[in-house]
Amino acid sequence: MVSKTDDIPATVPTSNTNDRAEEGETPDSRDTMKESLKDPCACGHSSDSTVMNGDGSHDHTEEAGSKQEGGGDTDQGEDANEQEVIVIQDTGFTVKIQAPGTEPFDLQVSPQEMVQEIHQVLMDREDTCHRTCFSLQLDGNVLDNFAELKSIDGLQEGSLLKVVEEPYTVREARIHVRHIRDLLKSLDPSDAYNGVDCNSLSFLSVFTDGDLGESGKRKKGSELEQIDCTPPEHILPGSKERPIVPLQPQNKDWKPLQCLKVLTMSGWNPPPGNRKMHGDLMYLYLVTMEERHVSVTASTRGFYLNQSTTYTFNPKPANPSFLSHSLVELLSQISPTFKRNFTALQRKRVQRHPFERIATPFQVYSWTAPQVDHAMDCVRAEDAYTSRLGYEEHIPGQTRDWNEELQTTRELPRKNLPERLLRERAIFKVHSDFAAAATRGAMAVIDGNVMAINPGEDTRMQMFIWNNIFFSLGFDVRDHYRELGGDSAAHAAPTNDLNGVRAYGAVDVEGLYTLGTVVVDYRGYRVTAQSIIPGILEREQEQSVVYGSIDFGKTVVTHPKYLELLEKTSRPLKVQRHAVLNEKDEAVELCSSVECKGIVGNDGRHYILDLLRTFPPDLNFLPVEGEELSPESQRLGFPRPHRHRLACLRQELIEAFVEHRYLLFMKMAALQLMQHKASKEHKAGPPESQPALEEGGAAPASAESVPASADGGAEAPPQAESASAEPEPPAAPPTEAAPTPAAANGSSAPAATATENGECESPLEDPRSREVVLNACKAVGSISLTSFDIRFNPDIFSPGVRFPDDSSEDILKQKQLLKDAAAFLLSCQIPSLVKDCLDHSALPMDGATLTEALHQRGINIRYLGDVLDFVDKTPARVQLDHLYKIGISELITRCAKHIFKTYLQGVELSALSAAVSHFLNCFLSSFPDAVAHLPADELVSRRKNRRRRNRVPGGGDNTAWASLTPGELWKNIASEAQSYYHFTLHCESVDQAVERFGLQKITLLREISVKAGIQILIKEYNFDSRHKPTFTEEDILNIFPVVKHVNPKASDAFHFFQSGQAKVQQGFLKEGCELINEALNLFNNVYGAMHVEICACLRLLARLNYIMGDHQEALSNQQKAVLMSERVLGIEHPNTIQEYMHLALYCFANGQLSTALRLLYRARYLMLLVCGEDHPEMALLDSNIGLVLHGVMEYDLSLRFLENALAINSKYHGPRSLKVALSHHLVARVYESKAEFRSALQHEKDGYTIYKNQVGESHEKTKESSEYLKHLTQQAVALQRTMNEIYKNGSNASIMPLKFTAPSMASVLEQLNIINGIIFIPLSQKDLETLKAEVQRRQQLQEPGKSEELPEDSQLELNDKLPVDD
């Protein structure tokens, strides 16, 4: 999620605010913060120009020196930024609120808030939650709902706001009923199970018994006696049982307190005309818990009982009518049970952690659910029928114009921080609303609830419009993709297009617009949802396209405005401007692929769409006649045929490739310059060489350091920032691979430094250095010969695209670049992924995290087979066991998903659950002859009209699916693995696969369910029975959509977060903490309260609180991180498992031992479910559990976990690793506590040997170990002496009391800190000062690339994954 920032030197706080102008999500942004102290204003230029260009996260290296890009007004910029920060932290004040019937209470508000936000608070508070229709008045004046508090005259500290009940309208009455229903359902988890309204599950409170606040601390001191530490059987090491039921423990709060039996709209609605004129708005029908049936009128004055019954209409008020302004007040008067239970329910609701109830920004679906009772619910029923046709309650004027909203938010100003926050918040909000609406629409389309706009056509060709969103199906209609692979291409195009939208959206060029795009996979169909360009439906596509081509390059047009706009994206996206021939053989200039179409909407905006070829083609999967790939690719059997011709390289790969080339460029230039300089000095005497040195700045010194560090791999080359300011025309500033603001320290470029005004002249003023740059440029394939600049032409190898003759040399160069990039993926990226897994800097735990690890390095999933082959051939194969297993199960489930997709398309709705359960039986059950249950006969009409054409996309009506057998399915999976991934699976059944690769069926079930959107009943399944199938149709509860969409980013917050991480890396904890707190505020500002990035922020804050000794605060922040991870990522996502482990550590430090154990057991259970026991992370988890058990004197249990950890560590880190030595020591400590000294000595000796061999005799670890060995030997001798005494003298022996001590909590905590990578090294204040001075001195002296290597003994060593988002 958050890029790794292990190597950022401190930034100067003032320039920090300025850096925030850039956005950051790519790994390259890791160095945006590097700031040269020599040139404080360079940073200013770089960010300033970014704002001007609106370049987003994919371009972090605006040409700093170029003045014409708005660098000139830097100074005002900096002052403005100083101001911004102050504005944002404007202090809050307190107002008093007086509501009818309650005491006045104080409310803390901030000047930025709107009056509406106070309304929300009141509707959530326990004592005022039943009011919805009221106004707030200050001195008798009604406050405007949408006014900001600071704009209200007379509102100040201590003002009294009165809550005044207002008359109802039909809309207000509906809102009131909906709100009351929400309050009644507030503890009911069914919405989370059903995946509606952005509800999702969280189980943390089950394990912590409610809140982890102060109360927890008082209840559970360290009374060890009462703790029951025995874990359930299935959690113990070596257990083969993998139950599902504990995944969703029963939360006792969920046995809801029932307040009412029925609350529903009455059949007498709407009120007839004469009653309307009496103020009747609508009628409700209720059944109380006391079985009293009542009819209620909602009128303008409130709610009262009327005299209607089910069959007679009598709207007159009953006697007494109990007229009340709120429905709750009315019900409390007529039903004692309601009054009692409603109060209790609200008390419980308010006690829950807010993070358990806030809606998430995007819907999270659960793949398991219990059988939930289906209760009557008027609001849900109403929503289903009106299908809320996009008629969102809070938007006046019915349906939302999504396109207008999406584009208007992009146009908001972004000059300073408050403006950018407002803009990003608006963009994020509209995006998440759009994604939700698009998902609902796509499901409605497939379920047959939407009429097509071309109903006469074949179902596959139909298109739909619903709620101002355009929907099309992922099939090749009208043979559009015939040349490119037919339906396979049509299925791949939407995701490619989405990646293009994401890339252009991130560059964020003013004036260039993309469509809102969401891709939904549901019931085997792929649906693309797009916002609608104004006016596009009235004209034919041919007339509207002013740029690009609608027939894959046969006819091509261009447009000067589009060229100007796209030129701005060309550098960050590495797209080369190029010419292609149109049908008249004229050259046409383009700055994108030919498929990319430019359409000017009726609103005058310039839209681009069909961005499926934004990135260049992947030649490894695109055989072209007469083209030879590089030897590396050929050796591995490439090029290979692929299903479609749309395979392109990922953006991450392009960036890694360019960065790699940049290193080469630097090495070559530096090497040649040094040789040149040496020969020059040789000829001339010392005097002449002096001026050259002066002028070249620190050139020679830095040049020498380049080759040395460049070998270090892909970290920033030390000189990267400066060299990227090679003499180059301003039009071609460096690529963003130069991972820092370009001329950040322009004074020390090795080759030719850009002169101050960015002219293209060389400071050494001699043709030789120009020649050096020229040679280096040619060698690395740069498109410019005076500077490093690599870009790709996305149209190379596109069928049907022709290029002018005069560009043939350029085309050859481009072809070579593409071949090199394809080879780079195979020869660098795959090995680097495997290397990262070997040294555990990448730790995939399931399919999703493996996919993420591949994607971060630019490796497409179609290379999964090659990655597995590479792993298999690695010498350290055993240490990659976990990677291989996860890879195989990912490959198998992806193949199964491909087959499942086409399988589902042929199933009619009434047979869906039978078909899904049959498929899962064939996939996972050991039962050899799984037979499908066709829908029962009584439902099948005998006189089916065969001639009626079925016009619903999701309505196949054949029963071919029922003939699938397990043998056939596994044969298909093997052939799919062979044809798609070029990987040979030698398995003919699930049992063979499990046996051969050591997989778990439960893990396969989780992976396929998550990928295909299947929800199954949570109960124990018997996968291995050979007599009956595992699943029945009753076990399939639901099918969910799998949704892909763009994730807009909070750029400023992200920059704060990164600079905070950087500070922490250098040991400036306090400053780091402040920056990260600021980042947290900004994240909250943009994303609202729930988001994965906020989760990372909270985790890091908790870790910092802990290191700085504030355990209580650490606990509170980490609790939020766990809740958020459960809600936003899912209850068993690998990140959630990590968060549970961190929380357990902080609980232990706070003396909450039993809670710590429960959390660790939960983490272990989840990990067993997700990836099984054989995983390096399991060693850390087991060491944690073993240590805590040791602390509570459960020695035997403790040993089981610690010995398992030792075995796993030995397997994955190699028997000589320091981790293994530590494991030996932990085991030895437990044996010592058990007084089994021989075993203790044996383990400690093993540990000592490792230390001695790895770090030498004199290292403190080796010394500690040898001291401990002595201590153990003395203990053993004392024990032996005592035993001998007993043998000799029998019962009257004088026995010296033996000292067996339980380990102190402090010593256990110390070991816990060590294994979790938190090491405190006590330093005096003086040491700290000298250390800081040392760090700063290094920074000024050295090139920024190296300054982060702190001395070994810095004040803390976060050797683990401290600020990395793992």
Side-chain angles (χ1 to χ4, degrees), residues 188 190 194 370-376 380:
D188 176 13
S190 56
N194 295 329
Q371 200 74 60
V372 182
D373 298 331
H374 193 60
M376 209 181 224
R380 185 190 62 220

Side-chain angles (χ1 to χ4, degrees), residues 6 87 189 225 327 353 377 423 463 467 943 973 1051 1176 1286:
D6 302 343
V87 171
E225 308 78 74
L327 193 52
H353 197 287
D377 181 339
R423 174 175 184 265
M463 291 171 280
N467 188 0
R943 293 178 315 223
I973 287 177
S1051 53
I1286 294 173

Side-chain angles (χ1 to χ4, degrees), residues 857-870:
R857 289 161 186 78
I859 306 169
N860 310 69
I861 284 293
R862 57 177 171 270
Y863 286 97
L864 185 56
D866 303 282
V867 173
L868 289 171
D869 286 335
F870 187 87

Side-chain angles (χ1 to χ4, degrees), residues 983-1031:
F983 186 81
T984 316
L985 272 180
H986 301 285
C987 348
E988 285 153 33
S989 71
V990 66
D991 294 320
Q992 281 185 17
V994 165
E995 188 58 38
R996 192 159 170 246
F997 300 112
L999 308 177
Q1000 306 185 124
K1001 287 189 177 179
I1002 183 81
T1003 303
L1004 290 171
L1005 174 65
R1006 171 180 177 264
E1007 292 285 356
I1008 187 76
S1009 303
V1010 169
K1011 284 181 182 52
I1014 303 169
Q1015 187 184 52
I1016 59 167
L1017 179 64
I1018 188 158
K1019 68 170 201 193
E1020 295 316 339
Y1021 292 98
N1022 179 359
F1023 292 102
D1024 302 324
S1025 159
R1026 304 197 61 77
H1027 307 296
K1028 65 180 217 286
T1030 307
F1031 301 93

Side-chain angles (χ1 to χ4, degrees), residues 572-588:
L573 296 182
K574 320 274 183 288
V575 177
Q576 188 191 9
R577 185 164 175 160
H578 59 278
V580 298
L581 294 176
N582 64 9
E583 70 285 8
K584 304 184 189 120
D585 287 340
E586 299 158 351
V588 177

Side-chain angles (χ1 to χ4, degrees), residues 818-832:
L818 283 180
K819 292 173 189 174
D820 293 349
F824 169 76
L825 191 155
L826 297 168
S827 57
C828 291
Q829 295 305 86
I830 291 180
S832 95

